[in-house]
Amino acid sequence: ALISIVFSLLYRQPLVFLWSIPGAVLVGPALVHLSFPQVIGAFLVTGLLMLLLGLSGWVRRAMEAVPMPIVMAMVAGVFLRFGLDLVRSLHADFAIAGPMALVWLVVGVWPALGRRLPPLIGALLAGVVAAVLLGRIDASALGAFEIARPLMQAPAWSVPAMIELVVPLAITVIVIQNGQGVAVLRAAGHNPPVNSITLACGLGALVSAAVGSVSTCLTGPTNAILTSSGQRERQYTAAIATGVFAMVFGLLAPVFTRLMLVTPKAFVMTLAGLAMLQVLRAAFVAAFGGGRFTLGALVTLLVTVADLGLLNIGAAFWGLVAGVAVSWLLERADFRALAAGST
């Protein structure tokens, strides 16, 4: 939250940093055979590695080498699940998802109302009302008001933990997570500071590891939502507000965690799906609307959507690798045109 507020103010563009959900998923299986202190040690080394990469300046050059359509195809593949979850929630729990989608449509069709009540907020309120009327939220489960109390974690240094986690975690944060965030920001007309972002993620990862948290990243979905509306020059103010809310949610983590556990699953899936519809459309347009690198973008999309990891690294990374390889072999004219345009 603090990094988000400082960077958004400093660079006057939406730069929201949170913790890596794919990183948390990656770490989960490792806890079966590694101790938590060993994982903490891997977190710290990952943060140090990202810090050094940010200082080296290599990350920006590497990201600029990958064609934008291929990167946006990876983004579309990652974000596609939000749209699919929206459809699934409408099918599985229409009593919750139906009113949310209906209000979202009505507010979006009626511009005068939409200027006073954003469609997504209308959908959120409709979902809350539906859940309360149907008795789907157990208020007694929320418990008492409680402030989070961080617990310092001591690391343990383990070579097997480093081998298993450090490189996959670094690739997940820098390539998959930060790659999404940078891509959606560039597609919206911003110029994110890639090397500074990597440096901030390294610093954030070192601090968060001390309290047992997975690495910090530039979040793709959140920044995509923030850039989907409003004047581009003012979008950074929404990122600052997001940072403030993130700070509040972090301090009240016990309360909000219990609230999420008693919230209907369809409510979360529908809200996330509606929030990502415009973002998902923009990702597909950027990936396939320009006429270049379309085959590589398609391969990237398919590999990413298949969601089959390799060597403990997520499918989004391998989607980028496969897409660039296919384009390099079969779409060389597009690379030549890109090089000619850049000069």
Side-chain angles (χ1 to χ4, degrees):
L2 291 173
I3 294 173
S4 301
I5 294 170
V6 171
F7 265 60
S8 298
L9 277 171
L10 184 61
Y11 291 98
R12 289 296 194 271
Q13 54 186 301
L15 295 167
V16 174
F17 295 78
L18 298 173
W19 49 272
S20 171
I21 295 177
V25 174
L26 185 154
V27 168
L31 289 171
V32 175
H33 54 273
L34 295 174
S35 68
F36 194 55
Q38 289 174 327
V39 172
I40 297 299
F43 285 166
L44 290 170
V45 175
T46 302
L48 181 60
L49 176 60
M50 290 191 292
L51 185 65
L52 295 175
L53 289 173
L55 291 171
S56 72
W58 294 344
V59 178
R60 181 181 182 88
R61 292 194 290 271
M63 286 191 178
E64 289 176 345
V66 182
M68 182 59 69
I70 293 178
V71 177
M72 292 307 293
M74 181 268 284
V75 173
V78 173
F79 289 178
L80 184 61
R81 72 176 188 272
F82 292 102
L84 296 176
D85 284 345
L86 170 61
V87 177
R88 294 187 182 109
S89 64
L90 286 166
H91 179 267
D93 196 347
F94 188 80
I96 297 293
M100 296 176 68
L102 179 62
V103 170
W104 182 82
L105 287 171
V106 170
V107 175
V109 169
W110 192 0
L113 180 58
R115 285 192 293 268
R116 294 172 174 80
L117 179 68
L120 196 61
I121 300 300
L124 184 150
L125 294 176
V128 170
V129 171
V132 171
L133 292 178
L134 294 171
R136 300 285 295 277
I137 295 181
D138 183 9
S140 63
L142 298 181
F145 180 86
E146 185 180 355
I147 300 292
R149 292 176 295 174
L151 300 175
M152 301 301 294
Q153 302 290 335
W157 310 109
S158 165
V159 173
M162 305 301 170
I163 295 174
E164 180 176 351
L165 293 177
V166 171
V167 172
L169 268 174
I171 291 176
T172 298
V173 171
I174 296 174
V175 180
I176 300 177
Q177 299 269 235
N178 291 2
Q180 292 175 33
V182 169
V184 297
L185 288 170
R186 285 177 174 172
H190 295 285
N191 184 27
V194 176
N195 292 325
S196 297
I197 287 170
T198 308
L199 182 66
C201 289
L203 290 172
L206 290 173
V207 175
S208 61
V211 292
S213 177
V214 74
S215 300
T216 304
C217 71
L218 180 74
T219 172
T222 303
N223 286 294
I225 293 171
L226 295 178
T227 58
S228 63
S229 63
Q231 297 179 355
R232 185 178 63 189
E233 295 77 14
R234 303 291 296 171
Q235 288 171 344
Y236 78 95
T237 59
I240 294 172
T242 301
V244 173
F245 279 118
M247 197 178 304
V248 174
F249 273 64
L251 292 172
L252 300 178
V255 178
F256 284 110
T257 299
R258 290 192 293 265
L259 177 62
M260 291 301 298
L261 290 174
V262 300
T263 300
K265 183 180 179 181
F267 173 83
V268 178
M269 293 169 64
T270 303
L271 192 64
L274 293 174
M276 296 303 295
L277 279 181
Q278 295 290 350
V279 176
L280 187 58
R281 182 183 68 172
F284 272 102
V285 170
F288 300 104
R292 290 182 181 175
F293 303 102
T294 51
L295 182 59
L298 177 61
V299 170
T300 298
L301 176 69
L302 293 175
V303 174
T304 304
V305 172
D307 198 22
L308 299 174
L310 182 65
L311 300 177
N312 212 27
I313 299 174
F317 171 76
W318 299 114
L320 286 176
V321 172
V324 171
V326 168
S327 286
W328 182 253
L329 292 172
L330 302 178
E331 296 179 314
R332 293 203 174 191
D334 291 342
F335 276 103
R336 289 193 294 269
L338 181 64
S342 63
T343 57

